[in-house]
Amino acid sequence: MGIKALAGRDLLAIADLTIEEMKSLLQLAADLKSGVLKPHCQKILGLLFYKASTRTRVSFTAAMYQLGGQVLDLNPSVTQVGRGEPIQDTARVLDRYIDILAVRTFKQTDLQTFADHAKMPIINALSDLEHPCQILADLQTIKECFGKLAGLTVTYLGDGNNVAHSLILGGVMMGMTVRVATPKNYEPLAEIIQQAQQIAAPGGKVELTDDPKAAAQGSHILYTDVWASMGQEDLADSRIPIFQPYQINQELLALADPEAIVLHCLPAHRGEEITDAVMEGPQSRLWDQAENRMHAQKALMVALLGLV
Ligand code: CP
Ligand code: NVA
């Protein structure tokens, strides 16, 4: 079935994809990036974002424009959903106007409510639980750099947050070793680790530690994210000393494989979770990673809209 089986589906979490579908989607993203495939559509994408966004908002918009479609900004500050109109009513109404909807929100259950009340595909554009679109672009970037995914070790350092969750699940599905180094009490959710063990491809595994140096040792990819996510801004200052040992700096990077690359979903707090020198250094692939958001999400929309 491959990519065709994705038509009409939702992507609320990375494991909504099967392993085969994820591989097909990554190949489609590569083909769209190289220009081998140039699908065209006149569809309308809605963006309903309860949180700020640069990359996700602009990459979805650019991707849909490149496909020939249109984009509607449904920001809650300019729509009735921001004044309390129920999600189930909003979803049913939007379903009559537009073809596909990307939602950035807090609760995963709100995404499910959108999906339950709309026939069109609903995409998780980041929730407190997961950031699946990010991880598709990350896997595309890693594959471009190493020519493969299975057998590589990716080390995530910092907060066991939404990005960590999707990286763990997506990584093990592709047969990678995902090491996660967090301070105690900031580990990824136990249910995500359990799910990762259930859905891992052969060779895929997750390893948890609170030791950043041991986690970086020999790793092919070092990955980090902010220490306080959107909605946790009040906690940012108090977290700095707790997370300081998990900073990606040149000393930590020196422990990784000599060919290792560095990824960050962005936006970064330079000087906190990652230093300027590493961000600007020769092992950084941050800008390719950001570019791939557009290709990966274009592939996702093409697949969910049944354009291939
Ligand atoms: N990485 C990411 O999702 O960035 P934005 O918050 O700018 O969309
Ligand atoms: N963990 C971050 C990711 C931002 C793209 C957040 O949720 O704010």
Side-chain angles (χ1 to χ4, degrees), residues 6-7 17 46 49 55 117 119 139 157 164 180 194 226 229 246:
L6 283 168
L17 300 170
F49 282 26
R55 277 142 292 270
H117 293 88
K119 292 191 201 78
L139 294 171
L157 299 126
V180 182
Q194 209 171 12
V226 290
S229 286
Y246 299 84

Side-chain angles (χ1 to χ4, degrees), residues 236-287:
D237 286 346
S238 63
R239 285 188 173 198
I240 291 174
I242 301 169
F243 282 85
Q244 193 60 45
Y246 299 84
Q247 181 189 65
I248 301 187
N249 50 38
Q250 282 166 311
E251 194 190 344
L252 197 78
L253 184 53
L255 299 173
D257 185 274
E259 305 294 320
I261 63 165
V262 176
L263 299 179
H264 188 312
C265 57
L266 302 173
H269 288 176
R270 286 170 176 254
E272 290 186 17
E273 73 274 4
I274 188 165
T275 59
D276 276 330
V278 171
M279 275 189 79
E280 303 296 344
Q283 288 164 279
S284 164
R285 295 291 178 277
L286 270 57
W287 319 116

Side-chain angles (χ1 to χ4, degrees), residues 145-207:
C145 293
F146 294 95
K148 62 175 186 178
L149 293 170
L152 296 175
T153 297
V154 54
T155 296
Y156 176 92
L157 299 126
D159 187 26
N161 62 15
N162 43 10
V163 170
H165 289 162
S166 295
L167 182 68
I168 290 167
L169 297 169
V172 301
M173 286 171 75
M174 292 297 100
M176 301 174 79
T177 296
V178 186
R179 289 187 197 151
V180 182
T182 67
K184 284 199 169 44
N185 302 320
Y186 295 93
E187 294 90 355
L189 287 178
E191 70 202 48
I192 295 284
I193 304 304
Q194 209 171 12
Q195 188 185 5
Q197 283 154 356
Q198 284 159 3
I199 65 174
K205 58 179 186 298
V206 54
E207 298 172 352

Side-chain angles (χ1 to χ4, degrees), residues 52-57 104 131 134 230 265-267 293:
S53 168
T54 297
R55 277 142 292 270
T56 312
R57 177 185 296 282
R104 170 167 285 201
H131 197 359
Q134 177 69 52
M230 288 182 275
C265 57
L266 302 173
R293 298 293 308 279

Side-chain angles (χ1 to χ4, degrees), residues 17-300:
L17 300 170
T18 65
I19 290 173
E20 285 316 311
E21 287 165 352
M22 195 185 291
K23 287 181 180 167
S24 303
L25 212 44
L26 293 174
Q27 184 57 50
L28 179 59
D31 289 344
L32 291 168
K33 185 173 182 176
S34 71
V36 171
L37 284 178
K38 286 188 187 289
H40 190 269
C41 74
Q42 293 189 325
K43 302 288 186 182
I44 301 176
L45 163 71
L47 298 177
L48 207 174
F49 282 26
Y50 293 83
K51 298 177 181 174
S53 168
T54 297
R55 277 142 292 270
T56 312
R57 177 185 296 282
V58 180
S59 57
F60 262 119
T61 303
M64 188 46 109
Y65 285 172
Q66 287 173 11
L67 287 170
Q70 306 280 328
V71 182
L72 280 177
D73 185 348
L74 304 168
N75 190 321
S77 68
V78 296
T79 49
Q80 298 286 11
V81 73
R83 294 181 56 247
E85 184 169 13
I87 290 173
Q88 48 269 50
D89 299 353
T90 304
R92 275 184 285 220
V93 171
L94 292 178
D95 208 17
R96 305 288 177 110
Y97 306 140
I98 65 175
D99 302 295
I100 186 163
L101 178 67
V103 181
R104 170 167 285 201
T105 190
F106 295 86
K107 291 191 288 186
Q108 189 73 13
T109 48
D110 285 351
L111 283 165
Q112 191 61 54
T113 307
F114 273 106
D116 289 346
H117 293 88
K119 292 191 201 78
M120 66 179 156
I122 305 294
I123 299 173
N124 179 355
L126 179 145
S127 65
D128 287 349
L129 187 69
E130 280 214 41
H131 197 359
C133 294
Q134 177 69 52
I135 267 48
L136 290 175
D138 301 341
L139 294 171
Q140 184 182 359
T141 310
I142 296 168
K143 190 144 186 244
E144 284 172 356
C145 293
F146 294 95
K148 62 175 186 178
L149 293 170
L152 296 175
T153 297
V154 54
T155 296
Y156 176 92
L157 299 126
D159 187 26
N161 62 15
N162 43 10
V163 170
H165 289 162
S166 295
L167 182 68
I168 290 167
L169 297 169
V172 301
M173 286 171 75
M174 292 297 100
M176 301 174 79
T177 296
V178 186
R179 289 187 197 151
V180 182
T182 67
K184 284 199 169 44
N185 302 320
Y186 295 93
E187 294 90 355
L189 287 178
E191 70 202 48
I192 295 284
I193 304 304
Q194 209 171 12
Q195 188 185 5
Q197 283 154 356
Q198 284 159 3
I199 65 174
K205 58 179 186 298
V206 54
E207 298 172 352
L208 302 184
T209 177
D210 62 355
D211 181 343
K213 292 197 167 82
Q217 199 77 44
S219 185
H220 302 102
I221 304 112
L222 298 190
Y223 192 130
T224 192
D225 183 16
V226 290
W227 293 337
S229 286
M230 288 182 275
Q232 301 176 327
E233 287 82 359
D234 292 355
L235 303 169
D237 286 346
S238 63
R239 285 188 173 198
I240 291 174
I242 301 169
F243 282 85
Q244 193 60 45
Y246 299 84
Q247 181 189 65
I248 301 187
N249 50 38
Q250 282 166 311
E251 194 190 344
L252 197 78
L253 184 53
L255 299 173
D257 185 274
E259 305 294 320
I261 63 165
V262 176
L263 299 179
H264 188 312
C265 57
L266 302 173
H269 288 176
R270 286 170 176 254
E272 290 186 17
E273 73 274 4
I274 188 165
T275 59
D276 276 330
V278 171
M279 275 189 79
E280 303 296 344
Q283 288 164 279
S284 164
R285 295 291 178 277
L286 270 57
W287 319 116
D288 294 333
Q289 180 188 12
E291 176 186 334
N292 283 339
R293 298 293 308 279
M294 183 173 67
H295 306 297
Q297 288 154 204
K298 192 191 284 179
L300 182 62

